[in-house]
Amino acid sequence: MSSISKATRQLRILNGCKNSLPNVRFFSDYSLPRQPISSAATNSSPNIAKTLDQLNMNVVPSSLKHTELAKFSVIADTWWDPEGPFKPLHIINSTRLAFIRSTLCRHFRKDSYCARPFEGLNIVDVGCGGGILSEPLARMGATVTGIDAVEKNIKIARLHAGLDPETSNIEYCYTTAEKLVEEQRKFDAVIASEVIEHVADPAEFCKSLAALTVTDGATVISTINHSMRAYATAIVAAEYILHWVPKGTHQWSSFLTPEELVLILQRASIDVKEMAGFVYNPLTGRWSLSDDISVNFIAFGTKSSQQ
């Protein structure tokens, strides 16, 4: 990680503690509206190698690693299978939407209790996959653009969105954040959920997200902490013991601590205002928002006028 020194990482000894981020508001500082939000594989080496060959022949220039693109291309057909490789994302979807709804409504002065609080907002879902986050955003009234560097994901997202009149107007594009920047696209809110841990250069990726965000607009990023607890749960337990996701889905060396993410975003002119952790309850099988950012966490920031 070129932009983050080893010394910085060594100094971040409070990875799961909100006290190490004194300028960031946390989940417990607010009470979220208690309103339900509707949201609507094992990889083999030959498959990955074959997919890599195909990607090398037909790939959109991206900050994503080719190996990461190959992984997700192999399992793209299963995006809308609630019991498939993306089951954890389906389960956590309503919880991350609760954070997004709360922060965006507060920032843009929208009524979080109405059925379509995002009416009038232009939102891009970077790394949208099959559209499991884009669709509920559209149902909440947003004008949504979903982009992904895996062409198969976009085809599946378009097919599924077309089944519902409320989501059929989502603009899905086989492209990247960098390409949208070149096209000078701008959005009120830029969302990258579970994406940054798969990119080659997080700092450059965040610069692209910032460039897509209008001044005083919002940027939301969710990812996994670079902590031993995250390694034990998100990789060892989730991939090798519980088999929630395919083995090799995540690389611990690619995770970022909350402090590192805040620093990277600050350098890209994004000021992180709020943060929350996702905590899983094995008894209920559900996720909830918490101040515990030691494993999964989500951050909300706003773009300053200086860039």
Side-chain angles (χ1 to χ4, degrees), residues 127-140:
C128 63
I132 65 174
L133 185 60
S134 295
E135 289 197 11
L137 291 173
R139 293 190 182 99
M140 285 190 275

PDB file of all heavy atoms in Angstrom, residues 127-140:
ATOM      1  N   GLY A 127     -19.230  -0.592  -8.245  1.00  0.00           N
ATOM      2  CA  GLY A 127     -19.061  -2.006  -7.952  1.00  0.00           C
ATOM      3  C   GLY A 127     -20.391  -2.610  -7.565  1.00  0.00           C
ATOM      4  O   GLY A 127     -20.506  -3.303  -6.557  1.00  0.00           O
ATOM      5  N   CYS A 128     -21.399  -2.353  -8.389  1.00  0.00           N
ATOM      6  CA  CYS A 128     -22.790  -2.700  -8.031  1.00  0.00           C
ATOM      7  C   CYS A 128     -23.085  -4.187  -8.071  1.00  0.00           C
ATOM      8  O   CYS A 128     -24.102  -4.631  -7.540  1.00  0.00           O
ATOM      9  CB  CYS A 128     -23.757  -1.971  -8.968  1.00  0.00           C
ATOM     10  SG  CYS A 128     -23.613  -2.450 -10.714  1.00  0.00           S
ATOM     11  N   GLY A 129     -22.214  -4.975  -8.707  1.00  0.00           N
ATOM     12  CA  GLY A 129     -22.491  -6.399  -8.800  1.00  0.00           C
ATOM     13  C   GLY A 129     -23.791  -6.660  -9.543  1.00  0.00           C
ATOM     14  O   GLY A 129     -24.063  -6.080 -10.593  1.00  0.00           O
ATOM     15  N   GLY A 130     -24.623  -7.507  -8.958  1.00  0.00           N
ATOM     16  CA  GLY A 130     -25.909  -7.832  -9.577  1.00  0.00           C
ATOM     17  C   GLY A 130     -27.009  -6.848  -9.267  1.00  0.00           C
ATOM     18  O   GLY A 130     -28.145  -7.019  -9.725  1.00  0.00           O
ATOM     19  N   GLY A 131     -26.706  -5.818  -8.476  1.00  0.00           N
ATOM     20  CA  GLY A 131     -27.681  -4.768  -8.214  1.00  0.00           C
ATOM     21  C   GLY A 131     -28.444  -4.892  -6.914  1.00  0.00           C
ATOM     22  O   GLY A 131     -29.473  -4.231  -6.735  1.00  0.00           O
ATOM     23  N   ILE A 132     -27.950  -5.672  -5.964  1.00  0.00           N
ATOM     24  CA  ILE A 132     -28.725  -5.888  -4.740  1.00  0.00           C
ATOM     25  C   ILE A 132     -28.773  -4.651  -3.850  1.00  0.00           C
ATOM     26  O   ILE A 132     -29.634  -4.556  -2.974  1.00  0.00           O
ATOM     27  CB  ILE A 132     -28.222  -7.114  -3.933  1.00  0.00           C
ATOM     28  CG1 ILE A 132     -26.808  -6.892  -3.418  1.00  0.00           C
ATOM     29  CG2 ILE A 132     -28.286  -8.362  -4.772  1.00  0.00           C
ATOM     30  CD1 ILE A 132     -26.334  -8.030  -2.501  1.00  0.00           C
ATOM     31  N   LEU A 133     -27.875  -3.685  -4.062  1.00  0.00           N
ATOM     32  CA  LEU A 133     -27.952  -2.408  -3.350  1.00  0.00           C
ATOM     33  C   LEU A 133     -28.594  -1.337  -4.235  1.00  0.00           C
ATOM     34  O   LEU A 133     -29.359  -0.490  -3.754  1.00  0.00           O
ATOM     35  CB  LEU A 133     -26.560  -1.956  -2.907  1.00  0.00           C
ATOM     36  CG  LEU A 133     -26.480  -0.695  -2.044  1.00  0.00           C
ATOM     37  CD1 LEU A 133     -27.261  -0.876  -0.743  1.00  0.00           C
ATOM     38  CD2 LEU A 133     -25.035  -0.327  -1.749  1.00  0.00           C
ATOM     39  N   SER A 134     -28.334  -1.390  -5.522  1.00  0.00           N
ATOM     40  CA  SER A 134     -28.890  -0.397  -6.451  1.00  0.00           C
ATOM     41  C   SER A 134     -30.413  -0.425  -6.464  1.00  0.00           C
ATOM     42  O   SER A 134     -31.061   0.631  -6.488  1.00  0.00           O
ATOM     43  CB  SER A 134     -28.369  -0.651  -7.869  1.00  0.00           C
ATOM     44  OG  SER A 134     -26.986  -0.467  -7.964  1.00  0.00           O
ATOM     45  N   GLU A 135     -30.982  -1.608  -6.435  1.00  0.00           N
ATOM     46  CA  GLU A 135     -32.442  -1.722  -6.546  1.00  0.00           C
ATOM     47  C   GLU A 135     -33.183  -1.071  -5.378  1.00  0.00           C
ATOM     48  O   GLU A 135     -34.107  -0.281  -5.595  1.00  0.00           O
ATOM     49  CB  GLU A 135     -32.846  -3.187  -6.731  1.00  0.00           C
ATOM     50  CG  GLU A 135     -32.477  -3.716  -8.103  1.00  0.00           C
ATOM     51  CD  GLU A 135     -33.214  -4.992  -8.456  1.00  0.00           C
ATOM     52  OE1 GLU A 135     -34.172  -5.370  -7.731  1.00  0.00           O
ATOM     53  OE2 GLU A 135     -32.849  -5.626  -9.458  1.00  0.00           O
ATOM     54  N   PRO A 136     -32.841  -1.366  -4.124  1.00  0.00           N
ATOM     55  CA  PRO A 136     -33.538  -0.678  -3.028  1.00  0.00           C
ATOM     56  C   PRO A 136     -33.304   0.824  -3.021  1.00  0.00           C
ATOM     57  O   PRO A 136     -34.188   1.592  -2.612  1.00  0.00           O
ATOM     58  CB  PRO A 136     -33.006  -1.347  -1.766  1.00  0.00           C
ATOM     59  CG  PRO A 136     -31.783  -2.070  -2.179  1.00  0.00           C
ATOM     60  CD  PRO A 136     -31.972  -2.439  -3.608  1.00  0.00           C
ATOM     61  N   LEU A 137     -32.141   1.280  -3.478  1.00  0.00           N
ATOM     62  CA  LEU A 137     -31.904   2.717  -3.576  1.00  0.00           C
ATOM     63  C   LEU A 137     -32.871   3.343  -4.566  1.00  0.00           C
ATOM     64  O   LEU A 137     -33.411   4.432  -4.341  1.00  0.00           O
ATOM     65  CB  LEU A 137     -30.457   2.993  -4.014  1.00  0.00           C
ATOM     66  CG  LEU A 137     -29.351   2.655  -3.010  1.00  0.00           C
ATOM     67  CD1 LEU A 137     -27.975   2.813  -3.655  1.00  0.00           C
ATOM     68  CD2 LEU A 137     -29.456   3.521  -1.759  1.00  0.00           C
ATOM     69  N   ALA A 138     -33.117   2.659  -5.680  1.00  0.00           N
ATOM     70  CA  ALA A 138     -34.070   3.149  -6.674  1.00  0.00           C
ATOM     71  C   ALA A 138     -35.485   3.145  -6.118  1.00  0.00           C
ATOM     72  O   ALA A 138     -36.268   4.070  -6.371  1.00  0.00           O
ATOM     73  CB  ALA A 138     -33.991   2.293  -7.938  1.00  0.00           C
ATOM     74  N   ARG A 139     -35.823   2.117  -5.353  1.00  0.00           N
ATOM     75  CA  ARG A 139     -37.169   2.052  -4.760  1.00  0.00           C
ATOM     76  C   ARG A 139     -37.380   3.161  -3.732  1.00  0.00           C
ATOM     77  O   ARG A 139     -38.514   3.537  -3.459  1.00  0.00           O
ATOM     78  CB  ARG A 139     -37.397   0.682  -4.111  1.00  0.00           C
ATOM     79  CG  ARG A 139     -37.462  -0.467  -5.119  1.00  0.00           C
ATOM     80  CD  ARG A 139     -37.921  -1.759  -4.473  1.00  0.00           C
ATOM     81  NE  ARG A 139     -37.928  -2.829  -5.445  1.00  0.00           N
ATOM     82  CZ  ARG A 139     -36.956  -3.739  -5.573  1.00  0.00           C
ATOM     83  NH1 ARG A 139     -35.916  -3.687  -4.758  1.00  0.00           N
ATOM     84  NH2 ARG A 139     -37.027  -4.673  -6.487  1.00  0.00           N
ATOM     85  N   MET A 140     -36.275   3.673  -3.178  1.00  0.00           N
ATOM     86  CA  MET A 140     -36.379   4.785  -2.238  1.00  0.00           C
ATOM     87  C   MET A 140     -36.370   6.134  -2.951  1.00  0.00           C
ATOM     88  O   MET A 140     -36.264   7.170  -2.318  1.00  0.00           O
ATOM     89  CB  MET A 140     -35.255   4.709  -1.199  1.00  0.00           C
ATOM     90  CG  MET A 140     -35.492   3.632  -0.147  1.00  0.00           C
ATOM     91  SD  MET A 140     -34.332   3.723   1.254  1.00  0.00           S
ATOM     92  CE  MET A 140     -32.954   2.803   0.606  1.00  0.00           C
TER      93      MET A 140
END
